[in-house]
Amino acid sequence: MTLDVTATIVFVALFLFVTWIGFIAARWRKADLDQLHEWGLGGRRFGTIVTWFLLGGDLYTAYTFIAVPALVFGVGAMGFFAVPYTVMIYPILFLVFPRLWVIARRDGHVTAADYVRARFNSRLLALAVALTGLLATMPYIALQLVGMEVVIGALGFPTHGIVGHIPLIIAFVVLAAFTYTSGLRAPALIAVVKDMLIFVTIFAAIVIIPAKLGGYGAIFDAVPEEKLTLRPPMAGSLGDYSAYITLALGSACALFLYPHAMTGILSASSGHVIRRNAAALSAYSFVLGLIALLGYMAIAAGVDKNPLYALGFERYGANFAVPALFLDMFPSWFAGVAFAAVAIGALVPAAIMSIACANLFTRNIYKEYWRPDCTDAQEAKVAKIVSLVVKVGAVVFVLAIPQSYAIQLQLLGGIWIIQLLPPILLGLFARGLNARALLLGWAIGTAVGTYMAATRGFVSSIYPLELFGLTIPGYAALYSVVVNFAVAIALSPVLDRVWPQRGALDPESNRR
Amino acid sequence: MARKAANASLWRYWPRLLLLIPFALVAWVPFYNRIEPALGGIPFFYWYQLAAILAGAAVVVGVYVLEGRKAFADDKRGRKASGKDRAGRGPGAAR
């Protein structure tokens, strides 16, 4: 592949533009950035519209834009599970998280672990929550780099060898610098640009590409029949059906437990803002559904058989489907816009994820175990430095370790993060839970989920559960969190007898 | 007595039951795992689920509006408590 000069110029120009925005963001709604809640939560002042852009930019990541259509391109209907998943996340957001926001605001919590620490008066449970969040987020940041690498490759840069990694390293140095200076304000402002670029790209794609390919009918006709729907299950098994819906439900339950989603939620200025966004964010879901269909457009356009793109597919596999489709269908300058949308779409979540990790480490490990008496300014300073370390870690991870590991770790991350559901959900809506029972539930749930993934060689998170002679293939995260809930609820009254609970630090957060 | 009042205040959350609708729409996979009836060449499997996103959004908006009326009234009455989020916690918290 040769370097596409026009596309590259547009790409670099847009990249420089968002870099500038990233740095001036420090002066937006100016406040003392030496306070952790100012640097790491934007002062909890984001209104409905900023939160819409921020959460949209946070949850619908570059990796999503590349991987979801790639999955549809590769396996067909099963890849569309992302759509029922997005249908289910918003009722959950509406019901659960405004309540968490109120408590976090009142008590000054910056992370989910802060909340658990205060609600259950358990340092150990809070540590478990913090470590789980850190472990699940790190590979996720690395995957954002993967998304960026694919579009940089599509521009025609060589992405192998030391020289090939330079564009990626530059992008991350820039990202690290503006995150350090501006905190959460930077991704919040950049998300506005990112989302506009994404919307423009997708609307162009769903108008121009079907027009060139002869309409949606022709696109679906070009897709092999067996890919269009899920395989009907064989006797004695629920087959693809249970896999499809448990994947959607489990992913929906897990989403807002991720530290970066939590950071986006806690930075809102009120519970109303969160509820309004539970409705308004559906606009992104709809766009995600359309993006998924790009996978079929790539099949219909036959980009995988085009010798121009053979090298890209060889290097990036199905992840190259969407970039190849854009190169094939759009003029160079617009391909540059589309690729910039994906790359900037990687910067926003990567920034928020690194801030979320920094908040977790600083609040729940550094301050809790190391320097309980540190000042606010020291706390913010540590968080800024940790955000740098996290990003360096992600770059090293992507460059030094085979990509398949990042994907497998992210798959495990989903299984681990969902184990935080019992402490947070039961903490918010139930009484009489014992911290040690929750901790045991977390440990057993994590072990069971990891075991299930191990039986599939860490390449699939679909575990074939055998129940009364019926095979129910389903998402290991969902199965393991059921075990987690069962252990936590069943053991709570027992452990209350053995080790009487000390009760919450603050009786208010214990009350319904 | 306190419990009775708490139950009564839970009633103001009835619209939240509507939030089960989006789950119900997508829960039964065999219902929508089919090609016909296609819409403008798009198989049922795809347009149905895309429509479910819009229906889900409509339900959330509906719940927000239904709850909103009561909540805004509460907000006006008790500004000192942080608005509707506290008002639902039963007696004592609201007043």
Side-chain angles (χ1 to χ4, degrees), chain A residues 127-139:
Chain A
L127 183 66
V129 170
L131 288 179
T132 306
L134 285 170
L135 264 179
T137 312
M138 294 287 281

Side-chain angles (χ1 to χ4, degrees), chain A residues 110 132 303:
Chain A
V110 173
T132 306
V303 286

Side-chain angles (χ1 to χ4, degrees), chain A residues 17-29:
Chain A
F17 175 61
V18 298
T19 305
W20 175 72
I21 290 182
F23 284 108
I24 61 160
R27 277 178 278 164
W28 176 47
R29 300 184 179 187

Side-chain angles (χ1 to χ4, degrees), chain B residues 3-92:
Chain B
R3 177 130 293 237
K4 215 175 189 176
N7 282 342
S9 78
L10 272 181
W11 265 112
R12 63 180 285 261
Y13 290 119
W14 73 264
R16 295 193 173 188
L17 290 174
L18 296 176
L19 292 174
L20 289 171
I21 294 172
F23 290 92
L25 283 177
V26 292
W28 190 243
V29 185
F31 169 71
Y32 54 85
N33 189 38
R34 63 188 76 227
I35 290 181
E36 296 297 333
L39 182 78
I42 303 176
F44 186 71
F45 184 77
Y46 300 92
W47 71 257
Y48 174 80
Q49 292 184 75
L50 287 174
I53 296 177
L54 300 181
V59 168
V60 175
V61 172
V63 174
Y64 180 79
V65 171
L66 283 171
E67 273 192 0
R69 272 192 219 134
K70 174 89 169 68
F72 288 130
D74 283 356
D75 265 3
K76 270 188 194 151
R77 230 181 302 138
R79 273 275 158 84
K80 60 174 187 276
S82 65
K84 74 178 269 195
D85 295 292
R86 297 180 70 88
R89 292 212 196 147

Side-chain angles (χ1 to χ4, degrees), chain A residues 61-64 130-148 172 258-260 346 349-350 353-354 357 360 389-399 401-417:
Chain A
T61 67
Y63 183 67
T64 318
L131 288 179
T132 306
L134 285 170
L135 264 179
T137 312
M138 294 287 281
Y140 217 156
I141 302 176
L143 278 189
Q144 300 309 317
L145 287 163
V146 170
M148 205 187 261
F172 254 57
Y258 274 103
H260 60 283
M353 287 168 190
S354 67
C357 283
L360 272 175
V389 173
V390 165
K391 271 174 287 227
V392 172
V395 174
V396 170
F397 196 94
V398 165
L399 299 188
I401 296 169
Q403 210 184 80
S404 56
Y405 287 3
I407 294 168
Q408 291 176 8
L409 271 175
Q410 202 259 344
L411 181 148
L412 280 174
I415 293 171
W416 294 336
I417 202 76

Side-chain angles (χ1 to χ4, degrees), chain A residues 8 30 63 73 87 96 102 132 145 158 169 209 211 358 360 391 432 441:
Chain A
T8 306
K30 199 161 175 51
Y63 183 67
F73 174 84
V87 170
V96 178
V102 172
T132 306
L145 287 163
I169 292 172
I209 298 175
L360 272 175
K391 271 174 287 227

